[in-house]
Amino acid sequence: MQSARPRVGLVLGAGGVLGAAWLQGALAALVEETGWDPGSADFIVGTSAGSVIGTLLACGIPPWYMVAHSAGESFDGLLDAAGDRASDVPRSAGGGYGLGAFPVPGPGSWKLALGALKEPRRLPPAAVLAGWIPRGFISTRPIQDVVRAACSKDWAPHPGLRVVACDYASGRRVSFGAPGAPKARIAEAVAASCAIPGFYVPPRIGGRTYVDGGLCSVSNLDLLAREELDLVICLNPTSSRDRAGALPGRVLRAQAGRRLGHEAKRVRCSGAEVVLLQPLAEDLEVMGENLMAGRRRQAVVDRARQTMAWQLRDLRGALDGLPLGAPPFTGRPAGEPAQWPRFEDAARERFAA
């Protein structure tokens, strides 16, 4: 790291319900081991599950609170961004499922399907296949409700938040929040980033339809290659250096890892140091192969908190220059929850300074 106050990017990858759980536990360990506040990163790039957790960070929700809330702890008197009881926000981080539309057979996006036939090498393989999959039918409302509980405005307080989705007609990557990107409300952008083809109803924003940003890349780490950063920390739930689990999962993780490696090389070529943090075999054992299986959420959070601490202790030198944060972003503030400032208000005050 080159400057007294390093410029830092944080990248949070895709991974479904259990990927979000892994990110929560891993981020809590990151704070505990380094004292750094991940919500203070100059840029936060979130894809799919990572867009949910990244948006919570960008709205001032600290990892210690995410973990405590997920475990069932109540904070009497603490209000969310909408002025409601914070303890009433669903603890599944948007993992509830309900019908949003009736299933319809046939390709979900004829434009994407036919366009991919003409230029199959222009798009990632997942995006090529996505057009042929029927449209999703599960509502994204639970995801949007979690985001609205964290953010009362059209966009998060953090000016460097990037929420990645895939245009359902062209297959092109869209980074909501970036200069020149389509305008979107934060809850809609996150829903688009999470809209797994064939599962979630794809949201429409500004007259166009969007689906899961993981179709373009499960990490989208390379978006930070031109931001002149000193350090980029990437937490990626869907790749691993450990060969564990069933063969299909190993193959998918290996593919994600190769893409992650290429993206990391691009960012390193820009002059930034890159730290890649991925699940260990112990995490994969708890996560299993179905990343949408919400019943294992808390077990994944707890395991990630433990295994990430192991990884970070081996990387101490690479993270020594991170600035120390302070409550409420790195730990519980003093007093009763009713006396705490709302997290969003604290975040807006920080970025207005």
Side-chain angles (χ1 to χ4, degrees), residues 91-184:
R91 301 181 188 275
S92 61
Y97 306 129
L99 190 67
F102 288 106
V104 178
S109 173
W110 279 105
K111 286 187 177 180
L112 180 56
L114 297 177
L117 286 178
K118 295 178 181 178
E119 299 180 272
R121 295 188 178 183
R122 180 177 63 86
L123 301 173
V128 171
L129 294 174
W132 296 98
I133 300 172
R135 288 209 170 201
F137 53 90
I138 300 299
S139 174
T140 59
R141 182 172 179 176
I143 297 170
Q144 297 191 50
D145 287 345
V146 168
V147 174
R148 292 188 183 106
C151 184
S152 63
K153 307 295 184 182
D154 284 348
W155 198 256
H158 197 308
L161 176 65
R162 305 290 184 259
V163 174
V164 185
C166 175
D167 187 302
Y168 206 19
S170 68
R172 296 187 182 279
R173 178 168 65 180
V174 175
S175 179
F176 291 109
K183 297 295 183 183

Side-chain angles (χ1 to χ4, degrees), residues 222-233:
D222 58 315
L223 284 175
L224 296 183
R226 297 183 179 180
E227 300 299 344
E228 299 182 353
L229 299 173
D230 299 305
L231 172 67
V232 176
I233 302 171

